[in-house]
Amino acid sequence: MSQEASWTRNSSIKGSTEAIRMALLTFSLIGLQFTWGTEMTYCTPYLLSLGLSKSKTSLVWIAGPISGLLVQPIVGILADKSRSRWGRRRPFMVGGAAIVCVCLFILGWTTEIIEFFAPDSKTQNQSRIILLAVLSIYGVDFAINAVQASCRSLIVDTLPIEKQQTGSAWATRMAAIGHVIGYILGSIDLHQIFGDFLGNTQFKQVVVVAALGLVLSVGVTSWAVTEKVLISDGTDTTDHDGPFAMFSQILRTTLNLPARMRIICWIQFWSWIGWFPFLFYSTTWVGEIYLRQNAKTSEGKVSDDALADIGRVGSTSLVIFSVIMLLGSLLIPLFVECPDDDTTFTSRLPPSPSQITAPTNKRKPSLLTAWTWSNILFALTLMATPFVSTMQSASFIVAICGLPWALAIWAPFAFMGVEINMLSSESIPYTSDRSPERPSIALVDSQLESIAKREHLLGDDRKGFEETAGVYLGILNLFTTLPQFVGTFVSMIVFRILEPGKDQELAHAIHIHRPSSGPNAIAVCMFIGGVSAFIASQLTRRL
């Protein structure tokens, strides 16, 4: 039988005001998103420049879903049970960040490392360079998923239910700041600023800055937050700590999710089939269109560093994307009603902005409505990509997606955080006090039956949110990573059919000439993602 978990020390965050405390709690997401942005912006064109075909490159990105599928739930369970005197989440954040940094440096200096150990094997070095680069990307993906799982769980662990919406909003803002900083640095020529101090290529310098930024941001949050220390989780560790028990708990919890959690997870699943090709291929898509236009106007001249050109051009459009995302994360909470917003929730706005938005308070859409329309906007935007032929139009398509992205990384965690906190109560699920009708006896009976069924199915594994937040957020991440498997194989098939062999523009840069006629394979992948995002918008209405 499970017993109540016991703790020592209370959670606390340094800072004299709520805004400072929220900023420090979520500061780690700046470096996290900066690192994700570096990988998404540069790694696809980097692999293509090494000679990989697009279909094989899409298989490399299966590292993301594999790492998310395995790492986040396992790290969530291990952290939930951790009795470290430093807390349950921060040791995984710091350790994961260190591994990410090592893998990033290996990725940036892959060629030099291989040539150092095999200086006389130039004919075989190319395949070795590709292999080491792919392994480095896998290392980054696995480690950064551990960091992300711990950062998100730290927010849920530290904040009470009435602060979950605020915490998720701040997390979105910090992620947006990380995007802005990362894409601005990626869009400028860092070699003119740093010379060869951080490396002799743009890619190396971005990698160094990303590694330092991740260490700094994770360090700030780890310093500012004091976690509760778990003394006992109320279970017999001899029966519940094995690998089989971990996977059994994940599977059992996944199959018996509460109804609203299940819908949130499926919304995440369908929307991320669309987000996968956008996040990993949008830079390459914009860069290809740029190179095609440039080839027509420069009489076939090719840049000496096509990878840097694609990275900078793609990052320029992503700068606008991230600025729109940042503005959305700052402004949307002012005009969107909190989930289950009532008088018990802390006001999100100081008096002066509240006066500005007061006339719209009665007409505020819910966060659910905003999430639905953002999925519709995202779907329509992706469906337009096959018809884009100019760099300006492609940049506009990428930029406008910043608005739905702001909600995509805010709404699921906001709703999930509320639902996780609700599980700590054994009462009937929350019903808004604003509802003029009392729930019927049949509805109450149905809710009680659902609670009893869930308690029976979960048995001794059913604990309060404080002990299982990592598990539930890990399950949410499963529904974020599983669609990436779908996106990976869809992309592989599309690339193999429409663009077999090496990438057209980057292959041209290494003197392999191929025609550039026919539909753009990346645009076709995005169109398919748009259809999936539309399905997500319809599921959102079911909440």
Side-chain angles (χ1 to χ4, degrees):
M1 291 292 294
S2 63
Q3 303 174 357
E4 185 177 354
S6 55
W7 308 81
T8 182
R9 198 169 64 194
N10 292 325
S11 298
S12 63
I13 311 172
K14 292 180 173 63
S16 56
T17 65
E18 180 178 287
I20 293 176
R21 290 190 291 271
M22 288 292 180
L24 291 173
L25 174 63
T26 58
F27 194 80
S28 59
L29 294 174
I30 294 179
L32 186 70
Q33 290 300 321
F34 188 1
T35 306
W36 275 123
T38 299
E39 185 181 47
M40 294 172 187
T41 301
Y42 278 94
C43 284
T44 294
Y46 176 61
L47 292 174
L48 293 173
S49 70
L50 293 178
L52 278 183
S53 64
K54 281 184 178 177
S55 59
K56 292 180 180 179
T57 300
S58 65
L59 286 178
V60 172
W61 291 123
I62 205 172
I66 289 177
S67 60
L69 189 66
L70 298 176
V71 173
Q72 289 213 21
I74 292 175
V75 167
I77 290 179
L78 293 175
D80 286 342
K81 296 176 180 292
S82 174
R83 301 178 188 180
S84 168
R85 65 190 181 94
W86 302 107
R88 298 186 299 164
R89 313 300 177 185
R90 291 180 296 170
F92 288 93
M93 291 167 57
V94 174
I99 296 174
V100 170
C101 291
V102 172
C103 294
L104 283 175
F105 281 112
I106 294 175
L107 182 62
W109 277 263
T110 301
T111 301
E112 287 79 1
I113 293 173
I114 293 298
E115 291 181 350
F116 176 80
F117 287 103
D120 300 325
S121 303
K122 294 184 178 180
T123 57
Q124 300 179 2
N125 277 357
Q126 190 65 23
S127 60
R128 292 170 179 169
I129 291 171
I130 292 174
L131 177 61
L132 183 58
V134 170
L135 291 177
S136 300
I137 290 174
Y138 270 66
V140 170
D141 277 333
F142 274 75
I144 205 170
N145 267 285
V147 179
Q148 179 170 277
S150 302
C151 291
R152 288 289 185 176
S153 295
L154 184 65
I155 297 172
V156 175
D157 286 350
T158 307
L159 300 178
I161 184 172
E162 65 270 14
K163 300 290 186 180
Q164 291 296 321
Q165 169 74 18
T166 307
S168 292
W170 272 96
T172 304
R173 292 163 189 157
M174 292 301 173
I177 292 172
H179 274 296
V180 171
I181 296 173
Y183 293 140
I184 287 178
L185 288 177
S187 65
I188 61 179
D189 189 350
L190 295 179
H191 193 267
Q192 293 184 355
I193 300 175
F194 299 110
D196 292 333
F197 178 69
L198 299 180
N200 57 2
T201 67
Q202 176 87 358
F203 182 58
K204 291 177 180 177
Q205 294 181 343
V206 171
V207 160
V208 172
V209 175
L212 295 177
L214 180 63
V215 170
L216 175 63
S217 61
V218 169
V220 168
T221 294
S222 299
W223 164 79
V225 178
T226 300
E227 296 184 71
K228 293 189 298 184
V229 176
L230 179 65
I231 299 176
S232 172
D233 63 359
T235 62
D236 183 358
T237 57
T238 60
D239 296 333
H240 296 274
D241 282 351
F244 178 79
M246 289 184 188
F247 285 104
S248 177
Q249 181 184 357
I250 294 170
L251 178 61
R252 184 164 55 253
T253 308
T254 302
L255 294 177
N256 298 288
L257 284 174
R260 283 176 61 85
M261 280 191 182
R262 189 180 305 116
I263 296 176
I264 293 169
C265 288
W266 280 111
I267 295 169
Q268 193 81 334
F269 177 88
W270 287 104
S271 64
W272 266 86
I273 294 179
W275 283 114
F276 173 77
F278 175 85
L279 293 174
F280 283 96
Y281 299 127
S282 58
T283 300
T284 307
W285 178 59
V286 174
E288 283 183 351
I289 293 176
Y290 163 77
L291 289 178
R292 289 178 182 179
Q293 283 187 320
N294 189 57
K296 293 178 181 178
T297 58
S298 61
E299 299 179 356
K301 294 181 181 179
V302 179
S303 170
D304 293 333
D305 192 351
L307 172 61
D309 286 346
I310 285 184
R312 281 193 291 268
V313 171
S315 291
T316 300
S317 61
L318 289 173
V319 166
I320 307 175
F321 162 86
S322 56
V323 168
I324 292 177
M325 171 195 171
L326 177 59
L327 292 175
S329 66
L330 292 173
L331 298 178
I332 291 176
L334 306 183
F335 300 96
V336 171
E337 186 179 26
C338 286
D340 299 327
D341 196 7
D342 63 18
T343 56
T344 65
F345 277 62
T346 302
S347 175
R348 293 171 295 160
L349 302 176
S352 53
S354 296
Q355 294 174 1
I356 296 174
T357 60
T360 66
N361 284 343
K362 294 182 179 180
R363 295 186 296 273
K364 279 185 178 180
S366 66
L367 178 58
L368 189 61
T369 301
W371 194 16
T372 301
W373 281 104
S374 72
N375 280 324
I376 293 174
L377 173 62
F378 181 55
L380 295 176
T381 303
L382 290 190
M383 289 179 185
T385 53
F387 309 101
V388 173
S389 59
T390 65
M391 191 189 72
Q392 291 77 13
S393 300
S395 298
F396 176 79
I397 289 289
V398 171
I400 202 65
C401 287
L403 193 58
W405 179 242
L407 282 152
I409 63 174
W410 170 27
F413 293 99
F415 284 111
M416 204 68 170
V418 170
E419 295 299 321
I420 291 172
N421 277 266
M422 290 293 186
L423 292 182
S424 64
S425 171
E426 295 183 358
S427 61
I428 294 176
Y430 175 82
T431 302
S432 174
D433 292 338
R434 291 169 295 170
S435 176
E437 300 179 0
R438 294 173 58 87
S440 66
I441 294 177
L443 175 60
V444 173
D445 288 342
S446 174
Q447 292 172 328
L448 288 173
E449 181 180 355
S450 175
I451 294 172
K453 180 180 179 182
R454 187 169 69 248
E455 291 178 352
H456 172 71
L457 290 171
L458 296 180
D460 289 344
D461 289 325
R462 185 183 62 84
K463 304 175 188 148
F465 75 96
E466 291 179 328
E467 297 116 85
T468 57
V471 177
Y472 285 111
L473 291 178
I475 291 172
L476 178 63
N477 188 69
L478 287 179
F479 284 82
T480 304
T481 56
L482 287 174
Q484 295 181 50
F485 283 102
V486 178
T488 294
F489 288 108
V490 168
S491 300
M492 180 186 67
I493 293 171
V494 172
F495 292 149
R496 188 173 294 275
I497 294 174
L498 297 181
E499 295 183 14
K502 293 183 174 62
D503 175 67
Q504 296 175 21
E505 283 69 30
L506 286 177
H508 180 64
I510 56 176
H511 310 295
I512 299 176
H513 299 275
R514 295 180 61 251
S516 59
S517 59
N520 186 289
I522 294 178
V524 173
C525 293
M526 289 186 179
F527 180 87
I528 296 172
V531 175
S532 178
F534 183 77
I535 296 175
S537 70
Q538 300 308 302
L539 284 175
T540 311
R541 299 172 63 182
R542 293 181 57 186
L543 276 176

